[in-house]
Amino acid sequence: MAQLTCAEHDKMIGYVSQLTHAIAVSLMNANDNTHLAEYTGDSFRDLTRIAKINENLWSELFFLNKENLIAEIDQFSASLEGLKRALVENDETELKRLFVQSTARRRLFDKKREAR
């Protein structure tokens, strides 16, 4: 079992919990979802499951950790912009590098979970 300081905990929660909720909420709010259910597959459903959110609880949690959450949103935005830039610049090499990196990081994550 890992032990974290309060500051480490808040930073980690900002990333693994609050940022993921912010992304899911933003994804659901980024587009008019009137006919979404007719065209959506499992990947979208899985990614946005946590967007069905308790607004009172989560707004309080976001504000209590807002400095960490804002920093994580900025870092995520920069990563998404990097992916966008690869598309705009038709940089297939960079796009594939990002995919390979994400795949490797996910595999490492899966291995660590399986080892428990």
Side-chain angles (χ1 to χ4, degrees):
M1 177 185 273
Q3 288 193 348
L4 301 173
T5 66
C6 291
E8 291 168 333
H9 170 270
D10 290 351
K11 182 169 176 31
M12 184 60 62
I13 289 300
Y15 183 68
V16 301
S17 179
Q18 293 172 334
L19 178 62
T20 56
H21 281 78
I23 291 167
V25 167
S26 297
L27 190 55
M28 290 305 300
N29 290 326
N31 200 319
D32 174 13
N33 296 307
T34 306
H35 300 288
L36 196 59
E38 299 165 26
Y39 306 106
T40 300
D42 290 341
S43 59
F44 190 86
R45 273 191 293 279
D46 290 347
L47 190 59
T48 59
R49 177 188 57 81
I50 60 175
K52 196 165 63 174
I53 194 167
N54 179 313
E55 70 276 6
N56 295 317
L57 172 66
W58 282 94
S59 60
E60 181 179 348
L61 293 172
F62 276 23
F63 282 123
L64 287 171
N65 199 33
K66 77 177 188 177
E67 290 80 17
N68 285 307
L69 179 54
I70 289 168
E72 296 300 342
I73 290 170
D74 287 344
Q75 187 172 333
F76 178 77
S77 296
S79 180
L80 189 58
E81 276 298 318
L83 192 143
K84 177 183 171 184
R85 186 172 37 260
L87 289 170
V88 167
E89 296 172 0
N90 292 312
D91 189 344
E92 185 177 359
T93 301
E94 175 61 8
L95 191 61
K96 287 180 179 180
R97 185 195 71 75
L98 292 170
F99 292 162
V100 167
Q101 178 176 290
S102 72
T103 298
R105 288 180 176 181
R106 179 58 199 212
R107 283 187 179 135
L108 181 60
F109 174 80
D110 289 342
K111 281 183 184 177
K112 287 184 178 183
R113 289 191 51 88
E114 290 169 2
R116 287 195 221 169

